[in-house]
Amino acid sequence: MEEYLDDLPVQDDLLRKSALLCAEWHDLGKATRFFQDHLRGSRVSGKLSSHALLSAVLTLWNHARELPLEWKLPLFLAIKSHHSVLYNLEDELCYSCMWSILERQYSALLEYKDLIFPSQEEFEGEFSWKAYDMVRNRKDFTLYLRTNLLLGMLVDADIRAVLDLPANMERVNIPSSIVDDFVVSLRGSSPLMSLRREFYSDIVQKAGRISLSERLLSITAPTGIGKTLAGFSFALKLRNRIEREKGYSSRIIYVLPFTSIIDQNYEILRKVLIRKRIPERVIIKHHYRTDPSFLIKENALFGDYDKAFSIVETWDAEIIVSTFVQLFETIFSNHRSSFRRLHRLMGSILILDEVQNFPVRYWDSMEKMLKFLAEHWKTYVVLMTATRPALLREALELTMPKKTYYFENLSRTHLYPVFKERSCFDIEEWLLPEIDSTDNLLVIMNTVRSAQEVYKRLKEVVGKEYTLFYLSAALIPIHRENRIEKLRALLGRKKLILVSTQVVEAGIDIDFQKVIRDFAPLDSIIQSAGRCNRNAMLDKGKVVLLRLMDEKTNRLLASYIYDETLLSITRNLLLGREGSIFEKDYLKVVELYFESIREAVSQYKELSQAIADLSYGEVGMYKLIESVDQIPVFIEWDEEATKLVEILRHIESMSASSYEKRMKKRNMFLEIRPKLWRYIVGVPQGVLKTLRLGCLPFLSTVCHLPRKHPEFENIYSEETGFTRGILEEAIFL
C-alpha cells in the first residue's frame, strides 16, 4: 500500500493514514476462534467465521479515532467490503440484526484482548447516524471516490501479496519523439497527406504550449485526418513534460467504444513502440476478449497466468488501451474487483476516443466525474472525436483556432437525406439504382434481420461483376475479423458491395466510394459518412440517407434500436436540406444536434444522485450497454472450438473439494476464456426458444451450438452468421 501511495501524484496525509490503517487491520477479525476453526476445516457458521465487518468496527474504534468523519466512513466501508459488494448506505450502516453475532465474535478473539468494542448504541450514535447525516448534506463525488480508492488499493494489494507481485511494475521511459519518427516514415498517395501532416504538427505542438493547469482538453477534427497518432503523440509529449515539471510519470489510458477498433488502434500504437525497440510490456490492451499470455512470453516475472491476468486487469503499464465499458465499470460500480485499477486513473492522461458513442443518459454523471478527476486527482482528460457531443463544453479545444479550417478544407462527401419512406425489402426502388454508378458501395442497415434479408436479395440480382460481403454482430468474432481483412485487401482492386449493420460505422479504417445509410441519429450518420471517400481519392463521395420501413409492422426500422428523441431531433435538423449537405457543413449541424440533445436529456441525473448518496446498490444497476434480452451462444465452428469444449468438459469434471482445487479449475478456465469469446455471438431469447440448445460444460450461462447439430448449417453460416430466418420478428444489433 505504501508503494501505491508513493506512486500517486496526489499526496494527502489523511489518505495515507486511512490507506495504511486498511492495510494493517483489514484482517483483524480473523483472530477469532470461529475463523481459525474454519481455516482448519471445521464446519462453522458463515456469519460467525466472517471477518470483514468485525475488522471494520474494531479498526474504527481502536485505530481511527482521530480521523475526521469524512475519512472514517470510507475507511469503514473499504474494510467491511473487501470480500463483498457494496450496498446502499442505509444498509451499510444498519447492523441491528448482526450485533449479537459481532459481540460473539469479539468475545471469541484469541488475541488483541485489549481492543475496545462499542455497544450498538455507541456505534449508531457516534458513527452511523452522523455518517448518514454527513452524506445527506454533501452532494459531490468525494466520499464515493475516497471509498472506492481505498477499497480498490486494498483489494489489489491483498491479491498481489498472495501472487508475490510488486505493487507497480517497473516504470519505463518512452521518448516523446517516437510517433514523430513513425509519421515521417509513412508513405501514401492520398490527397489528404499534407492536411494530415499539418493537423499532426498543430496538435503535438500544443503539448509544449498549454498550461499544465488545463486538464480538460479536446481534439475535434474530421474522420480520417489522423487523430489516433496525433492524440497519442500529444499524450506522450505531455507525459514527458509533466515528468520534467511536476516530477511524476503519467500513464496514458486510451479508451474506445468497440473491441474491433481497440484491436486496430492497439496494433498501430504497438508498431510505433516496437519500431524503436520499446519493451512490449509497456502497452497492454484490456477488454473482455483480451489474452494476457503475451506478458508471460515476454518476461519471466509474469511466469504464471494469474500474474499476467492481474497486470492486465489492473492497468499496470505505461500505456493502456481499453473500452468505455471497462472505464465505466472502474468508476461507476459497487464491486470491489472493478476498483482494483481505479488508482491508475490518478495523474493519468485519459483519452476518450469516439466520445460521441458515450450514452446520452450518462452525460451528467460522466461530466461531473471527469471534472472531479481533473480537479482533485490531477487527471488529464482528452476528448477525441469528429462529432463532439455537448460534453465538457469548457474543455480547451486543441485544434483552435483552426478547427473550422480543418472541416472546411475537406469536401470528401456530400449527404443526401431522402425523407420519403420506403420498404426496406424493396431494393429495386432504393438500392439497385445506386449500384451501377460506383465500383464499391457500403449499405448500412439498422437491424441484423434487415441486413441479412437485403444481402440475400442482392445476391439474387447482382451478377458476378460485384463481390458481395456481409458484416454484423451476428457473425462470431473470428469471422468478423477475417471479413474486415478480406475487405481491406480487395477494396480498390475489385468491384464490391458490403451490406452491414452499425458495426462498421466507427473507427474501422475502410474507404467506399458511396454509402447508403438507413436513418439514424445524426452522430451515427456522420460516422457512417466517414467510411465514404475517406482518403479523398474522388472529387466527392455520395452518402444517401433513407427512411426504411419494416413492411410487416409498417414501422421505421430505426425506431427499433434508437431513442425516438434523437431520431426526432435529427429529422428536424435535416428537414429542408434534402438537396445536399457538404462535409464542410457537418460541424455546424452536429453542434446544433448535440446542443438540442443536451436540452432534451437534462433530466438524466439519477446516477449522479446515487453516487452522491453512496447508494451503491443503485450504482451497480447502471450499465453502459443496456441488456437487449440477448443470450451468448458458443458456435462450435471448427476443430479449435471443439477442443475448447473438451477442455471445458474436463474442467467441469474436476474435483472442487478444496480451495486449491477450485483455484486450479478457475485458472484453467481463465486461460481459455479469451479463445472462447472468439466463437460467441449474442442471440435474442425469442430466437433461441425455437432451438432448445443446451449449455456449454462448466458455463451454464452460455448456450452451445454443437457441430453435430442436425440444423447447424441452417442456424449459422460463415457468410451471414446466426440467421434471423428462424423467427422473423427477432431483431438485434
Side-chain angles (χ1 to χ4, degrees), residues 86-89 334 614-622:
L86 285 149
Y87 302 97
N88 290 349
L89 187 64
N334 68 330
L614 295 188
S615 296
Y616 279 97
E618 293 178 31
V619 173
M621 295 172 64
Y622 289 93

Side-chain angles (χ1 to χ4, degrees), residues 252-258 261-262 265 269 286 315 320-328 330 345 349-355 358 366 370 381-384:
I252 297 173
I253 302 173
Y254 191 135
V255 293
L256 304 109
F258 310 118
I261 49 177
I262 283 176
N265 285 22
L269 304 188
H286 178 223
W315 293 356
I320 300 96
V321 186
S322 193
T323 63
F324 283 3
V325 170
Q326 298 295 341
L327 176 66
F328 187 88
T330 301
L345 285 173
I349 299 169
L350 176 61
I351 301 173
L352 291 96
D353 199 355
E354 305 285 5
V355 70
F358 204 85
M366 191 53 140
L370 293 175
V381 178
V382 184
L383 306 183
M384 204 154 70

Side-chain angles (χ1 to χ4, degrees), residues 166-182:
N168 304 297
M169 292 298 99
E170 183 180 351
R171 304 304 298 270
V172 178
N173 177 56
I174 307 173
S176 61
S177 61
I178 59 171
V179 189
D180 302 339
D181 297 340
F182 183 82

Side-chain angles (χ1 to χ4, degrees), residues 30 32-44 110:
K30 289 182 177 179
T32 65
R33 181 180 72 253
F34 302 119
F35 186 86
Q36 296 301 314
D37 288 346
H38 165 70
L39 279 185
R40 295 185 179 96
S42 300
R43 298 190 66 177
V44 183
L110 300 173

Side-chain angles (χ1 to χ4, degrees), residues 208-462:
R209 295 175 181 173
I210 64 169
S211 166
L212 290 183
S213 62
E214 292 278 3
R215 296 197 184 96
L216 299 176
L217 309 166
S218 176
I219 299 174
T220 308
T223 57
I225 202 169
K227 290 190 290 294
T228 298
L229 288 173
F232 182 46
S233 185
F234 170 85
L236 278 177
K237 286 175 166 56
L238 181 63
R239 164 190 155 105
N240 283 18
R241 184 181 166 200
I242 291 168
E243 190 161 17
R244 287 195 313 272
E245 298 181 25
K246 299 294 183 180
Y248 64 88
S249 182
S250 298
R251 287 179 170 81
I252 297 173
I253 302 173
Y254 191 135
V255 293
L256 304 109
F258 310 118
T259 55
S260 57
I261 49 177
I262 283 176
D263 294 339
Q264 174 182 290
N265 285 22
Y266 167 81
E267 283 303 321
I268 292 171
L269 304 188
R270 181 175 160 275
K271 284 177 183 177
V272 171
L273 294 165
I274 63 176
R275 190 171 179 269
K276 292 294 183 178
R277 299 185 179 178
I278 307 291
E280 194 168 343
R281 65 179 174 83
V282 158
I283 183 170
I284 59 175
K285 65 175 174 178
H286 178 223
H287 55 69
Y288 71 97
R289 290 197 287 122
T290 301
D291 182 358
S293 58
F294 72 89
L295 286 171
I296 300 173
K297 296 171 187 173
E298 184 176 320
N299 196 316
L301 175 65
F302 320 128
D304 64 66
Y305 192 88
D306 268 345
K307 290 182 179 180
F309 183 78
S310 263
I311 288 163
V312 171
E313 284 281 308
T314 59
W315 293 356
D316 192 2
E318 306 298 333
I319 303 160
I320 300 96
V321 186
S322 193
T323 63
F324 283 3
V325 170
Q326 298 295 341
L327 176 66
F328 187 88
E329 291 178 354
T330 301
I331 53 182
F332 301 119
S333 178
N334 68 330
H335 203 283
R336 65 193 186 281
S337 63
S338 297
F339 301 143
R340 285 181 64 192
R341 54 183 171 267
L342 181 63
H343 62 285
R344 307 293 184 200
L345 285 173
M346 191 177 284
S348 69
I349 299 169
L350 176 61
I351 301 173
L352 291 96
D353 199 355
E354 305 285 5
V355 70
Q356 77 284 347
N357 287 286
F358 204 85
V360 172
R361 62 186 176 277
Y362 296 134
W363 279 9
D364 180 77
S365 307
M366 191 53 140
E367 187 166 72
K368 289 176 180 174
M369 183 63 72
L370 293 175
K371 286 180 180 178
F372 184 98
L373 295 177
E375 182 179 352
H376 300 286
W377 283 20
K378 298 185 179 179
T379 304
Y380 288 83
V381 178
V382 184
L383 306 183
M384 204 154 70
T385 179
T387 53
R388 181 181 167 185
L391 184 67
L392 293 180
R393 285 175 287 189
E394 66 270 47
L396 177 67
E397 178 55 60
L398 297 177
T399 60
M400 294 298 286
K402 296 170 71 173
K403 182 173 82 167
T404 305
Y405 163 82
Y406 288 122
F407 282 89
E408 288 181 347
N409 273 271
L410 284 175
S411 54
R412 296 168 295 182
T413 60
H414 51 185
L415 174 66
Y416 289 87
V418 179
F419 286 93
K420 180 183 177 182
E421 293 171 350
R422 294 178 169 136
S423 166
C424 71
F425 299 139
D426 189 9
I427 66 170
E428 290 80 6
E429 182 182 0
W430 61 268
L431 178 53
L432 296 187
E434 299 287 349
I435 292 177
D436 292 338
S437 59
T438 184
D439 287 336
N440 56 68
L441 170 69
L442 169 61
V443 182
I444 304 178
M445 305 297 294
N446 280 326
T447 67
V448 165
R449 179 170 66 90
S450 62
Q452 287 180 340
E453 187 62 30
V454 166
Y455 175 83
K456 191 188 305 179
R457 296 189 182 203
L458 257 183
K459 200 173 178 183
E460 294 171 355
V461 297
V462 175

Side-chain angles (χ1 to χ4, degrees), residues 13-71:
D13 290 341
L14 291 173
L15 168 61
R16 181 171 289 270
K17 183 169 184 177
S18 302
L20 294 181
L21 285 174
C22 279
E24 290 169 340
W25 301 112
H26 69 285
D27 279 346
L28 184 58
K30 289 182 177 179
T32 65
R33 181 180 72 253
F34 302 119
F35 186 86
Q36 296 301 314
D37 288 346
H38 165 70
L39 279 185
R40 295 185 179 96
S42 300
R43 298 190 66 177
V44 183
S45 162
K47 288 184 178 179
L48 289 171
S49 63
S50 64
H51 68 280
L53 177 57
L54 179 63
S55 299
V57 173
L58 290 175
T59 302
L60 201 63
W61 235 252
N62 291 272
H63 303 293
R65 301 305 288 268
E66 294 181 5
L67 279 179
L69 187 59
E70 58 264 27
W71 280 101

